[in-house]
Amino acid sequence: MAPTFLLRLAIDFAAAGLLMVALAYYGLGNTVHELAGSAVFVLAAIHNVFNRRWWGTVRRTRREASGLIYVGINLVLLVVVGTIVVTSLMISRLVFAFLPLDGGFTARQIHTAAAYWLLIIVSLHIGFRWSVVMHTTRTVFGITTSGRGRTIALQLLAAAMALYGVQSSADMGLGDKLLMQISMDLWDFNESTAGFFLRIASIVALYVWIAHTTRMLIQRIARRRHAT
């Protein structure tokens, strides 16, 4: 497997991990938040440099449900990232503190909501490419056979994580955060920092599972139509 591809994959997962770190604002503080967020932006820019040719193919995307949904996810992702960048410039107290901008409470609300939307959209983005991730994992670890028992075990694990993601979404008031509602569901980092990241990871797993399952169902339906 090409080293460049592995580097790209490592950059993508590093960005996803740093996004989770950036969300732990009340536990890790503003300095870590801004540094992690800035690193996410840099890695996202590198990701788009590697994938610049893909953007040139958007207009030529075939009118198939899977491809159109993937294009839609990426366009929404671009808008959300742009929103986060603009609001970051407005409310920064460290990295961009030299800018004469003051976004106030509304900009902070938009920034927070966009950050959680980014978590979901990135998860959907990964989910639509999950087959590539699994193929890469099998190649790296030299797994050449597809045991039925292992497949069932992984599917059960994914379903369990997705269910836990549903519970985590409710416990953390995800809906209120996405809609910019004032929420009292603030995580107690004095009780458990690891628990916060476990909850966030389960939410990621939920939307990865949704996207991957949706893509597989669309492909299955398409194959049946072509077969008839």
Side-chain angles (χ1 to χ4, degrees):
M1 181 169 292
T4 302
F5 179 79
L6 292 177
L7 174 62
R8 290 166 56 182
L9 201 61
I11 288 173
D12 294 347
F13 276 93
L18 286 169
L19 173 59
M20 294 170 64
V21 171
L23 289 172
Y25 179 88
Y26 293 104
L28 302 180
N30 183 72
T31 298
V32 173
H33 171 78
E34 291 202 27
L35 292 176
S38 299
V40 170
F41 173 73
V42 171
L43 292 176
I46 295 173
H47 172 87
N48 278 279
V49 169
F50 277 126
N51 294 277
R52 61 189 180 279
R53 293 182 179 178
W54 181 86
W55 290 104
T57 66
V58 170
R59 289 186 177 183
R60 299 194 301 272
T61 301
R62 290 182 296 177
R63 294 186 177 183
E64 296 178 354
S66 181
L68 292 175
I69 291 174
Y70 186 63
V71 169
I73 288 173
N74 287 332
L75 292 176
V76 172
L77 181 57
L78 191 62
V79 172
V80 173
V81 169
T83 302
I84 291 177
V85 170
V86 172
T87 53
S88 295
L89 298 177
M90 297 172 66
I91 66 176
S92 174
R93 292 185 293 164
L94 177 68
V95 178
F96 303 106
F98 61 89
L99 295 175
L101 300 173
D102 183 13
F105 180 71
T106 300
R108 295 181 186 279
Q109 277 189 304
I110 295 173
H111 183 78
T112 301
Y116 279 95
W117 275 110
L118 180 62
L119 181 73
I120 291 176
I121 301 302
V122 166
S123 301
L124 293 174
H125 175 82
I126 294 173
F128 259 77
R129 301 288 290 170
W130 193 247
S131 296
V132 176
V133 175
M134 293 303 295
H135 174 72
T136 303
T137 302
R138 288 193 295 267
T139 301
V140 170
F141 290 98
I143 301 174
T144 58
T145 58
S146 56
R148 182 172 178 79
R150 183 176 65 241
T151 299
I152 293 175
L154 290 174
Q155 289 175 341
L156 290 175
L157 176 61
M161 285 294 292
L163 287 174
Y164 188 52
V166 174
Q167 179 183 338
S168 297
S169 299
D171 291 345
M172 298 186 72
L174 182 62
D176 289 339
K177 292 180 174 64
L178 295 174
L179 297 174
M180 290 196 302
Q181 301 295 318
I182 297 177
S183 173
M184 300 305 295
D185 296 305
L186 299 178
W187 187 263
D188 185 0
F189 285 93
N190 292 322
E191 180 181 338
S192 174
T193 299
F196 173 84
F197 289 109
L198 178 60
R199 295 284 182 135
I200 293 296
S202 69
I203 293 172
V204 171
L206 168 62
Y207 288 95
V208 168
W209 182 84
I210 289 173
H212 178 64
T213 302
T214 299
R215 184 171 182 269
M216 297 299 290
L217 287 174
I218 291 173
Q219 289 181 335
R220 185 175 300 176
I221 293 171
R223 285 196 296 267
R224 288 180 178 177
R225 286 180 177 176
H226 288 309
T228 57

